[in-house]
Amino acid sequence: MKNTQDFEFKKNFKETIERHIKIQSAEKGCLIYTYLPEEQDIINSVKIPPLEEIDFKKDVLALPKMMCDREEKLYKFRSNYPDDSIPVLALRYGSGIFAAMITGSLKFGADTSWIEPVGKNIDETIDFPWKKENQFIDIALQGLDYATKRMKNKCYVYLSGYHSPLELAFMLRGSDFFIDIYNNPEKVHVLIKRCDQALKWVYELIEKNVRSENYGVVAGFLWMEKGIAFLSDDAAGLLSPAHYREFGVPYTDGVFKRHSGGFLHVHTQAYHQMENISNMKYLTIHNWRPDPNTPEAINIVDRLLEGAKKKIVAIVADPDSIKKKISILSQGRFFLLCPCKERSQQYDIVSFVRENAPII
């Protein structure tokens, strides 16, 4: 491994990286990422206006400057955490920024962004506009370059909003996408393949134009030598396992193959895709992000265990729940995202996890 110099915002950076590397080839063991209540006050101390109110033409760096200000304050506070966390800034222009970098169209809301569906039928959607020069490319690349350089040796940075080909196809087609799966499955594959080509182009565009200042990449929460930092596949929760196996898995796993692994973001409404996700050959780590009206991941961890023996699984769990379920957690590979009430509880749960769920 190349030099992993000390990070200003992570005092035990070298030891943390070593644990992250070890778990990737281990049979079992847990990493833990902790949070304290004071962090929310720090986040709230830097007010970021609604995205729709930011004039990017007037100051293209306004948003990344504010986000860097906020993350610097946050990670200075977190710098002596004893856990396995690594500082990461997810530069966020809303959920639609990557689609906008392809199509040249975007609508901003208060804290997100989106594109309108393209075309009146699937043939028109397949022919979606691919504008290889547009204002959103400039906004994203300039902002990412600024944040990456400013946070050198402080924080890893990535552009939030990476989509799977399936997810971009759904965004471009809208809700009719699910009808097309039944009525025009061959054309759905054509659309997804064109989305894959466009996303490959835009992901490579970022790599060519923004040089990484810190060695390696943080894939969601996990440090990797190579990998895609964050790939969203929200549409997985809206498909049956059979349809996701046909229209999602081959294309999503193909992205991971090109990037030598990485992180997949899915929601707990997609629990029915457990087997599909854990069977992706090139995926490294995925999360189960909590949704309303679904069981908390820690409460059904026995059902998640089989997948956690194949891939690293990130779940939210408080200290008491971790202690109750440690016998199951210790049998798989989990990255535990743990809110703590105070420093003493934080130190206690970190020690408990390392003693009772060692990386083997």
Side-chain angles (χ1 to χ4, degrees):
M1 185 181 67
K2 293 184 179 179
N3 176 44
T4 53
Q5 69 278 6
D6 291 337
F7 252 38
E8 179 180 338
F9 295 156
K10 183 63 176 175
K11 301 303 182 184
N12 61 341
F13 182 70
K14 183 177 179 181
E15 294 80 4
T16 300
I17 296 299
E18 290 173 351
R19 287 175 52 79
H20 283 228
I21 293 172
K22 186 176 181 180
I23 200 172
Q24 291 172 53
S25 59
E27 293 185 6
K28 55 186 177 180
C30 293
L31 298 175
I32 182 167
Y33 189 125
T34 58
Y35 307 85
L36 291 176
E38 295 92 330
E39 294 177 34
Q40 192 59 51
D41 293 332
I42 296 171
I43 292 171
N44 293 338
S45 70
V46 178
K47 299 295 182 181
I48 296 179
L51 292 174
E52 59 192 348
E53 295 180 7
I54 298 176
D55 188 343
F56 291 102
K57 292 182 178 179
K58 182 178 180 180
D59 185 0
V60 71
L61 298 180
L63 180 62
K65 286 177 180 176
M66 288 184 283
M67 293 195 72
C68 286
D69 289 344
R70 184 180 67 187
E71 300 307 296
E72 284 182 344
K73 293 179 68 175
L74 173 64
Y75 286 116
K76 281 179 181 176
F77 177 81
R78 290 182 54 93
S79 64
N80 65 347
Y81 277 22
D83 63 9
D84 298 303
S85 61
I86 298 175
V88 176
L89 189 166
L91 184 61
R92 180 173 170 79
Y93 294 91
S95 301
I97 187 62
F98 279 92
M101 293 171 73
I102 294 169
T103 65
S105 176
L106 186 67
K107 291 190 175 183
F108 286 109
D111 61 357
T112 190
S113 61
W114 66 94
I115 61 169
E116 295 292 340
V118 175
K120 297 179 181 179
N121 55 56
I122 190 166
D123 292 306
E124 292 181 0
T125 307
I126 289 171
D127 195 34
F128 64 81
W130 185 346
K131 299 180 180 180
K132 295 188 176 181
E133 293 184 8
N134 67 70
Q135 62 174 320
F136 301 108
I137 291 175
D138 297 334
I139 288 170
L141 291 183
Q142 289 183 54
L144 183 60
D145 186 62
Y146 168 84
T148 300
K149 290 177 178 176
R150 176 170 165 179
M151 304 303 274
K152 179 180 180 179
N153 293 338
K154 296 180 178 179
C155 186
Y156 282 81
V157 180
Y158 71 91
L159 181 63
S160 177
Y162 279 69
H163 304 299
S164 71
L166 171 69
E167 184 165 279
L168 178 60
F170 169 47
M171 293 172 66
L172 290 166
R173 183 69 177 115
S175 57
D176 286 339
F177 177 82
F178 302 105
I179 299 175
D180 291 327
I181 283 178
Y182 289 93
N183 293 337
N184 297 293
E186 298 84 2
K187 291 184 178 180
V188 169
H189 280 292
V190 174
L191 172 59
I192 295 174
K193 287 176 182 178
R194 186 159 189 249
C195 288
D196 188 34
Q197 293 172 352
L199 289 168
K200 181 177 183 290
W201 170 79
V202 78
Y203 297 164
E204 289 177 348
L205 185 71
I206 292 172
E207 293 175 1
K208 292 176 182 176
N209 286 274
V210 181
R211 185 174 70 88
S212 178
E213 296 290 341
N214 303 316
Y215 179 61
V217 62
V218 176
F221 311 98
L222 180 74
W223 187 93
M224 299 180 65
E225 188 170 6
K226 295 179 181 179
I228 193 166
F230 190 103
L231 190 69
S232 179
D233 216 356
D234 287 351
L238 303 174
L239 293 176
S240 70
H243 282 140
Y244 186 58
R245 195 154 47 243
E246 178 180 353
F247 297 99
V249 172
Y251 303 101
T252 298
D253 207 26
V255 177
F256 289 119
K257 182 178 181 180
R258 287 199 293 267
H259 290 265
S260 301
F263 176 88
L264 181 65
H265 165 79
V266 287
H267 286 248
T268 54
Q269 71 168 358
Y271 276 144
H272 58 287
Q273 306 293 4
M274 288 179 192
E275 184 176 358
N276 280 330
I277 292 170
S278 62
N279 283 341
M280 288 188 195
K281 182 177 179 180
Y282 299 98
L283 168 67
T284 310
I285 176 174
H286 71 276
N287 74 331
W288 288 112
R289 181 166 180 172
D291 282 318
N293 303 316
T294 59
E296 294 184 21
I298 190 63
N299 291 335
I300 61 165
V301 71
D302 56 327
R303 292 173 53 196
L304 304 179
L305 179 58
E306 190 62 31
K309 291 180 178 179
K310 298 177 181 179
K311 306 295 176 183
I312 303 168
V313 180
I315 64 172
V316 176
D318 61 50
D320 289 342
S321 297
I322 290 172
K323 290 183 177 181
K324 291 178 182 177
K325 301 288 186 175
I326 195 63
S327 62
I328 300 175
L329 293 168
S330 63
Q331 297 176 52
R333 291 184 299 165
F334 290 93
F335 207 134
L336 305 171
L337 312 177
C338 180
C340 298
K341 296 179 180 178
E342 56 190 11
R343 292 272 183 174
S344 60
Q345 187 182 51
Q346 177 191 50
Y347 277 81
D348 174 70
I349 195 61
V350 170
S351 297
F352 177 85
V353 167
R354 290 183 180 169
E355 180 179 349
N356 293 278
I359 301 172
I360 302 173

